[in-house]
Every structure is written in C-alpha cells, then in structure tokens.
Amino acid sequence: MPQSTLQPAGEAAEAIAVLFYWMCAGAVVIWIIVVGLAVYAIYQPGQHHPQTIKRWVIGGGAVFPTIVLTGLLCASLPMMPELQRPAPQGSLQVHVSGVRWWWRISYQIDDETVVETANEIRLPVGRPVEFKLDSEDVIHSFWIPALGGKVDMMPGRQTRLKLHPTRVGTFRGVCAEFCGAAHAQMNFDVVVMPADEFDAWLKQLTRPPASSQEPDATDGEKHFFAVGCHACHAIRGTDAKGSMGPDLTHFGSRPSIAAGLLPNNHDNLVRWITETDRVKPGVDMPAFHTMDRQQAAEIATFLEGLK
Ligand code: CUA
C-alpha cells in the first residue's frame, strides 16, 4: 500500500504505528470491559444499592479514564521531541513549496547548486533527510503517510520535517490541509531508492535532459514554444524558463502527471494538455481544447522524451 500509515517505511512512521497499535489494543480491552458490564447490567435482576452505583459511576466514569488518558499522554509525549529533533548535520536537504495544486521541489546539491523539479521526491534509503517546507499561496500540509507525520506549509514562514526512510519502495505523498477546489488532487510520488541509485539519479537531475530525436518529438518541441508553454514551464538547457508552473526538465522519468493524478503515459498526457480543466477542475493551466489532436500528441511525445 503506497499510502498506508500501518505499513511504515520510515522511522517516524514506525514510532507512530507502534503507538497506534498500543492505543488500538487498549481501546479493544476497554470496549470488551464496557460491553461486559452492559450485558451484566441487563441480565442481573434486582435492585442495586445506590452506594454501589455511585462507586461505579465515579470509578468507571472519572477515575479510570483519568488514569488511562494520563498513561497514554505519558506514552506519547516523549515521542514528540524525538520526531521534532533536527536532522543531523550533512543530511540531504530538500525544499518543498506547496502551490495550488502541485509541489515545487528543490534539491540542495551543494552550497551553490539547487536543482528544481516537481511532484516527485526521490530519497535514499537509510539516510536522514530534512525537508524545508513553505507555501506560495495558502496553507497546505505535507504528508508522506508511510514515512512519518505531517507538517503544515505556511506562506511566509518555513517549517521543517525530518524523515528517515527505512525501506525501498514507491509511496504516495498528499496534501493534508484543505486548500481549495483541487485539494484532493494535490499529491506526489515518493520513490525511496538504494543509496547508489539515488546518487546516480541526483547527478542525472542536475543535467539538462537528453531529448528524443524522433521527428514527432522535434515537432512537439516547436509546438511547445509556439503555443507558449515555456511562459510557465522551465526545461533546463532550453529557452523554456517559466517558473509559474512545474519544472518539466526530466518530465519523462516521472511516474505520474498533474501532481500524482494520472499515470504518466502518452494518452493521459494528451488528455491533460487538451482537457486540463476537466481532468483537474480549478487548475491554473489553461486547457487547449481546440488544439489539433496531432499537435497535442507531438507535444506529449516531446515531453515524454525528456529524461
Ligand atoms: Cu494543498 Cu490541500
């Protein structure tokens, strides 16, 4: 399950899952006791002494919940400083901005180099990572359920989240704070990879894409600039330098399009270009309803070739 808190793939998520299982087991025990008492009360004939009833009400209604809730509080409080502790020096730094309704992602390569991508986060397994989070418009919330807890992303303020992936796999991240029409369609892919594969991927990310030499792709590139896609999207190594929309530099190697909404394949991409507003109502990208189908297909081929 790519989006399950109960199949954790990170240290924080494991701690949270253990706490959940303890709480769940406790709730089951208490439920059995309460139902047992209810059944006993129904089938026990005769009057009870008022003093006995009072003792049950005070004991079961006030003393017992106080003890249980205090116990749970004591069990969960020590987790908080641990979850909030800053990542160790030298950890991978990833900056994520929430934008209605997608994710701008930047990797800090070294002191000077920052590389931007969108809607896809790749991480090395077994290495801590620190996310610096903010928003370009309204409040969003950054959550990768399989890796850890969620943190709000606020305009004008930076929040931080430390995660430590423990298992290789592809997971799903979501926006966990209602942020407008397409809130439920504001997701992203998280790929946790072996460390050496990650290093190779990061190196590749810093390079301009190798674009396809197919004639359709070359025509697609021409259309891309002719209709003005480059005004909003950037593709490093080309004249496309727009920054309003997601960076498309290595678009072809991303698992999904439209912020985790559709699998990244040719048909979906053509549909996204020509029916953007139907696929994701509220989106800022204009739909090219009247675009010639052939032209849209060529743009799609061009984008798929950016790897
Ligand atoms: Cu962004 Cu909900």
Side-chain angles (χ1 to χ4, degrees):
M1 288 278 278
Q3 199 186 312
S4 173
T5 51
L6 299 181
Q7 288 168 319
E11 279 179 6
E14 276 159 26
I16 293 167
V18 167
L19 183 67
F20 168 79
Y21 282 121
W22 275 105
M23 286 188 173
C24 191
V28 168
V29 170
I30 292 170
W31 181 81
I32 290 170
I33 294 171
V34 170
V35 170
L37 286 172
V39 171
Y40 171 79
I42 290 166
Y43 290 104
Q44 181 68 23
Q47 293 280 317
H48 290 283
H49 195 276
Q51 206 57 37
T52 315
I53 295 172
K54 200 173 162 191
R55 231 179 278 148
W56 273 104
V57 169
I58 293 173
V63 178
F64 183 68
T66 307
I67 294 171
V68 170
L69 292 177
T70 309
L72 286 174
L73 189 68
C74 292
S76 56
L77 276 184
M79 274 175 64
M80 286 192 185
E82 177 51 39
L83 294 178
Q84 286 171 351
R85 189 173 300 165
Q89 279 283 323
S91 296
L92 176 68
Q93 301 280 318
V94 185
H95 178 193
V96 184
S97 283
V99 192
R100 292 193 302 175
W101 286 276
W102 57 280
W103 310 82
R104 190 190 298 281
I105 293 154
S106 312
Y107 281 83
Q108 185 84 43
I109 309 288
D110 53 45
D111 288 347
E112 283 119 58
T113 325
V114 173
V115 182
E116 187 171 320
T117 176
N119 301 328
E120 181 199 31
I121 295 175
R122 295 196 185 225
L123 299 171
V125 70
R127 262 198 235 162
V129 49
E130 182 169 61
F131 290 99
K132 292 177 182 160
L133 308 168
D134 56 27
S135 165
E136 295 183 14
D137 37 50
V138 299
I139 299 177
H140 303 274
S141 180
F142 179 86
W143 190 24
I144 310 170
L147 298 192
K150 63 185 92 144
V151 170
D152 276 1
M153 311 173 93
M154 280 169 281
R157 194 178 148 180
Q158 195 174 70
T159 48
R160 283 163 191 255
L161 173 68
K162 175 194 68 170
L163 291 178
H164 195 138
T166 51
R167 184 156 61 82
V168 167
T170 301
F171 308 100
R172 197 171 144 90
V174 297
C175 177
E177 176 86 32
F178 181 74
C179 54
H183 155 71
Q185 292 154 333
M186 182 173 171
N187 307 305
F188 56 100
D189 301 295
V190 181
V191 184
V192 178
M193 328 166 76
D196 50 343
E197 279 177 35
F198 171 79
D199 291 339
W201 174 81
L202 195 61
K203 212 171 199 178
Q204 172 68 15
L205 188 70
T206 60
R207 296 194 187 118
S211 51
S212 165
Q213 295 307 312
E214 271 184 68
D216 273 5
T218 325
D219 288 345
E221 183 171 6
K222 283 183 203 135
H223 303 319
F224 181 89
F225 286 95
V227 297
C229 305
H230 64 295
C232 295
H233 295 285
I235 301 171
R236 284 195 300 283
T238 74
D239 290 332
K241 299 195 191 319
S243 60
M244 282 258 296
D247 180 291
L248 300 177
T249 302
H250 293 280
F251 178 85
S253 56
R254 292 182 198 156
S256 68
I257 55 177
L261 188 54
L262 301 169
N264 188 359
N265 62 42
H266 187 78
D267 290 345
N268 283 341
L269 195 46
V270 172
R271 200 172 143 227
W272 175 245
I273 294 166
T274 53
E275 298 176 39
T276 324
D277 53 348
R278 288 185 201 130
V279 177
K280 191 167 176 174
V283 70
D284 281 344
M285 176 167 147
F288 293 87
H289 291 295
T290 53
M291 185 185 277
D292 176 65
R293 182 94 193 167
Q294 172 75 20
Q295 197 176 337
E298 285 166 359
I299 293 179
T301 306
F302 162 62
L303 294 173
E304 285 159 31
L306 300 173
K307 288 186 177 161

